[in-house]
PDB file of all heavy atoms in Angstrom:
ATOM      1  N   PRO Z  59      -6.158  10.291   2.625  1.00 98.00           N
ATOM      2  CA  PRO Z  59      -5.448   9.143   3.193  1.00 98.00           C
ATOM      3  C   PRO Z  59      -4.167   8.811   2.423  1.00 98.00           C
ATOM      4  O   PRO Z  59      -4.035   9.132   1.242  1.00 98.00           O
ATOM      5  CB  PRO Z  59      -6.460   7.998   3.080  1.00 98.00           C
ATOM      6  CG  PRO Z  59      -7.458   8.430   2.073  1.00 98.00           C
ATOM      7  CD  PRO Z  59      -7.453   9.929   2.055  1.00 98.00           C
ATOM      8  N   LEU Z 143      -6.148   2.672   8.618  1.00 96.00           N
ATOM      9  CA  LEU Z 143      -7.582   2.943   8.526  1.00 96.00           C
ATOM     10  C   LEU Z 143      -8.265   1.738   7.897  1.00 96.00           C
ATOM     11  O   LEU Z 143      -8.146   1.512   6.701  1.00 96.00           O
ATOM     12  CB  LEU Z 143      -7.837   4.184   7.653  1.00 96.00           C
ATOM     13  CG  LEU Z 143      -7.319   5.510   8.189  1.00 96.00           C
ATOM     14  CD1 LEU Z 143      -7.327   6.556   7.088  1.00 96.00           C
ATOM     15  CD2 LEU Z 143      -8.168   5.956   9.366  1.00 96.00           C
ATOM     16  N   GLY Z 144      -8.955   0.951   8.686  1.00 94.00           N
ATOM     17  CA  GLY Z 144      -9.668  -0.199   8.141  1.00 94.00           C
ATOM     18  C   GLY Z 144      -8.771  -1.402   7.937  1.00 94.00           C
ATOM     19  O   GLY Z 144      -7.595  -1.412   8.303  1.00 94.00           O
ATOM     20  N   GLU Z 145      -9.354  -2.404   7.325  1.00 95.00           N
ATOM     21  CA  GLU Z 145      -8.673  -3.677   7.075  1.00 95.00           C
ATOM     22  C   GLU Z 145      -7.836  -3.586   5.792  1.00 95.00           C
ATOM     23  O   GLU Z 145      -8.354  -3.241   4.734  1.00 95.00           O
ATOM     24  CB  GLU Z 145      -9.729  -4.774   6.930  1.00 95.00           C
ATOM     25  CG  GLU Z 145      -9.191  -6.164   6.896  1.00 95.00           C
ATOM     26  CD  GLU Z 145      -8.672  -6.636   8.234  1.00 95.00           C
ATOM     27  OE1 GLU Z 145      -9.119  -6.134   9.271  1.00 95.00           O
ATOM     28  OE2 GLU Z 145      -7.802  -7.523   8.217  1.00 95.00           O
ATOM     29  N   LEU Z 160     -11.022  -2.132  -3.436  1.00 98.00           N
ATOM     30  CA  LEU Z 160     -10.081  -1.025  -3.283  1.00 98.00           C
ATOM     31  C   LEU Z 160     -10.814   0.307  -3.183  1.00 98.00           C
ATOM     32  O   LEU Z 160     -10.532   1.121  -2.304  1.00 98.00           O
ATOM     33  CB  LEU Z 160      -9.087  -1.017  -4.446  1.00 98.00           C
ATOM     34  CG  LEU Z 160      -8.025   0.074  -4.422  1.00 98.00           C
ATOM     35  CD1 LEU Z 160      -7.158  -0.023  -3.169  1.00 98.00           C
ATOM     36  CD2 LEU Z 160      -7.158  -0.020  -5.679  1.00 98.00           C
ATOM     37  N   SER Z 161     -11.769   0.531  -4.066  1.00 97.00           N
ATOM     38  CA  SER Z 161     -12.540   1.783  -4.038  1.00 97.00           C
ATOM     39  C   SER Z 161     -13.276   1.952  -2.718  1.00 97.00           C
ATOM     40  O   SER Z 161     -13.314   3.050  -2.146  1.00 97.00           O
ATOM     41  CB  SER Z 161     -13.540   1.826  -5.199  1.00 97.00           C
ATOM     42  OG  SER Z 161     -12.860   1.899  -6.422  1.00 97.00           O
ATOM     43  N   ALA Z 162     -13.866   0.872  -2.232  1.00 97.00           N
ATOM     44  CA  ALA Z 162     -14.599   0.932  -0.957  1.00 97.00           C
ATOM     45  C   ALA Z 162     -13.637   1.238   0.193  1.00 97.00           C
ATOM     46  O   ALA Z 162     -13.965   2.040   1.082  1.00 97.00           O
ATOM     47  CB  ALA Z 162     -15.330  -0.380  -0.709  1.00 97.00           C
ATOM     48  N   ALA Z 163     -12.453   0.632   0.197  1.00 98.00           N
ATOM     49  CA  ALA Z 163     -11.478   0.884   1.257  1.00 98.00           C
ATOM     50  C   ALA Z 163     -11.009   2.340   1.232  1.00 98.00           C
ATOM     51  O   ALA Z 163     -10.889   2.981   2.285  1.00 98.00           O
ATOM     52  CB  ALA Z 163     -10.289  -0.062   1.115  1.00 98.00           C
ATOM     53  N   ILE Z 164     -10.765   2.883   0.041  1.00 98.00           N
ATOM     54  CA  ILE Z 164     -10.338   4.284  -0.086  1.00 98.00           C
ATOM     55  C   ILE Z 164     -11.445   5.212   0.389  1.00 98.00           C
ATOM     56  O   ILE Z 164     -11.198   6.158   1.147  1.00 98.00           O
ATOM     57  CB  ILE Z 164      -9.916   4.602  -1.536  1.00 98.00           C
ATOM     58  CG1 ILE Z 164      -8.637   3.841  -1.886  1.00 98.00           C
ATOM     59  CG2 ILE Z 164      -9.741   6.105  -1.735  1.00 98.00           C
ATOM     60  CD1 ILE Z 164      -8.279   3.866  -3.371  1.00 98.00           C
ATOM     61  N   GLU Z 165     -12.664   4.961  -0.026  1.00 97.00           N
ATOM     62  CA  GLU Z 165     -13.783   5.817   0.383  1.00 97.00           C
ATOM     63  C   GLU Z 165     -14.004   5.751   1.900  1.00 97.00           C
ATOM     64  O   GLU Z 165     -14.261   6.772   2.537  1.00 97.00           O
ATOM     65  CB  GLU Z 165     -15.061   5.438  -0.366  1.00 97.00           C
ATOM     66  CG  GLU Z 165     -16.188   6.426  -0.153  1.00 97.00           C
ATOM     67  CD  GLU Z 165     -15.800   7.881  -0.395  1.00 97.00           C
ATOM     68  OE1 GLU Z 165     -15.073   8.184  -1.361  1.00 97.00           O
ATOM     69  OE2 GLU Z 165     -16.232   8.746   0.407  1.00 97.00           O
ATOM     70  N   GLN Z 166     -13.893   4.567   2.467  1.00 97.00           N
ATOM     71  CA  GLN Z 166     -14.041   4.426   3.925  1.00 97.00           C
ATOM     72  C   GLN Z 166     -12.944   5.218   4.640  1.00 97.00           C
ATOM     73  O   GLN Z 166     -13.210   5.896   5.636  1.00 97.00           O
ATOM     74  CB  GLN Z 166     -13.977   2.952   4.323  1.00 97.00           C
ATOM     75  CG  GLN Z 166     -14.067   2.746   5.819  1.00 97.00           C
ATOM     76  CD  GLN Z 166     -13.801   1.305   6.225  1.00 97.00           C
ATOM     77  OE1 GLN Z 166     -13.138   0.550   5.512  1.00 97.00           O
ATOM     78  NE2 GLN Z 166     -14.313   0.917   7.371  1.00 97.00           N
ATOM     79  N   ALA Z 167     -11.716   5.154   4.141  1.00 97.00           N
ATOM     80  CA  ALA Z 167     -10.617   5.903   4.745  1.00 97.00           C
ATOM     81  C   ALA Z 167     -10.861   7.406   4.635  1.00 97.00           C
ATOM     82  O   ALA Z 167     -10.640   8.147   5.599  1.00 97.00           O
ATOM     83  CB  ALA Z 167      -9.295   5.530   4.066  1.00 97.00           C
ATOM     84  N   ARG Z 168     -11.340   7.863   3.498  1.00 96.00           N
ATOM     85  CA  ARG Z 168     -11.642   9.292   3.328  1.00 96.00           C
ATOM     86  C   ARG Z 168     -12.720   9.742   4.308  1.00 96.00           C
ATOM     87  O   ARG Z 168     -12.611  10.810   4.908  1.00 96.00           O
ATOM     88  CB  ARG Z 168     -12.091   9.575   1.889  1.00 96.00           C
ATOM     89  CG  ARG Z 168     -10.962   9.557   0.894  1.00 96.00           C
ATOM     90  CD  ARG Z 168     -11.462   9.782  -0.514  1.00 96.00           C
ATOM     91  NE  ARG Z 168     -10.366   9.881  -1.451  1.00 96.00           N
ATOM     92  CZ  ARG Z 168     -10.422   9.495  -2.712  1.00 96.00           C
ATOM     93  NH1 ARG Z 168     -11.545   8.975  -3.212  1.00 96.00           N
ATOM     94  NH2 ARG Z 168      -9.374   9.617  -3.491  1.00 96.00           N
ATOM     95  N   ARG Z 169     -13.766   8.929   4.472  1.00 96.00           N
ATOM     96  CA  ARG Z 169     -14.829   9.277   5.422  1.00 96.00           C
ATOM     97  C   ARG Z 169     -14.301   9.379   6.852  1.00 96.00           C
ATOM     98  O   ARG Z 169     -14.689  10.273   7.590  1.00 96.00           O
ATOM     99  CB  ARG Z 169     -15.954   8.244   5.371  1.00 96.00           C
ATOM    100  CG  ARG Z 169     -16.917   8.435   4.205  1.00 96.00           C
ATOM    101  CD  ARG Z 169     -18.200   7.632   4.382  1.00 96.00           C
ATOM    102  NE  ARG Z 169     -17.972   6.224   4.637  1.00 96.00           N
ATOM    103  CZ  ARG Z 169     -17.888   5.282   3.697  1.00 96.00           C
ATOM    104  NH1 ARG Z 169     -18.031   5.599   2.437  1.00 96.00           N
ATOM    105  NH2 ARG Z 169     -17.663   4.028   4.037  1.00 96.00           N
ATOM    106  N   ARG Z 170     -13.399   8.488   7.205  1.00 95.00           N
ATOM    107  CA  ARG Z 170     -12.841   8.504   8.557  1.00 95.00           C
ATOM    108  C   ARG Z 170     -11.943   9.708   8.811  1.00 95.00           C
ATOM    109  O   ARG Z 170     -11.746  10.102   9.954  1.00 95.00           O
ATOM    110  CB  ARG Z 170     -12.089   7.213   8.836  1.00 95.00           C
ATOM    111  CG  ARG Z 170     -13.060   6.022   8.919  1.00 95.00           C
ATOM    112  CD  ARG Z 170     -12.388   4.733   9.216  1.00 95.00           C
ATOM    113  NE  ARG Z 170     -11.873   4.720  10.580  1.00 95.00           N
ATOM    114  CZ  ARG Z 170     -11.179   3.728  11.079  1.00 95.00           C
ATOM    115  NH1 ARG Z 170     -10.922   2.659  10.339  1.00 95.00           N
ATOM    116  NH2 ARG Z 170     -10.733   3.764  12.312  1.00 95.00           N
ATOM    117  N   LEU Z 171     -11.416  10.307   7.762  1.00 95.00           N
ATOM    118  CA  LEU Z 171     -10.561  11.481   7.908  1.00 95.00           C
ATOM    119  C   LEU Z 171     -11.348  12.800   7.899  1.00 95.00           C
ATOM    120  O   LEU Z 171     -10.817  13.831   8.259  1.00 95.00           O
ATOM    121  CB  LEU Z 171      -9.523  11.531   6.792  1.00 95.00           C
ATOM    122  CG  LEU Z 171      -8.413  10.494   6.888  1.00 95.00           C
ATOM    123  CD1 LEU Z 171      -7.534  10.544   5.658  1.00 95.00           C
ATOM    124  CD2 LEU Z 171      -7.592  10.687   8.145  1.00 95.00           C
TER     125      LEU Z 171
END
Side-chain angles (χ1 to χ4, degrees):
L143 295 166
E145 190 72 25
L160 181 60
S161 293
I164 292 169
E165 189 51 41
Q166 178 188 24
R168 285 178 175 149
R169 280 195 307 269
R170 292 181 69 183
L171 288 174

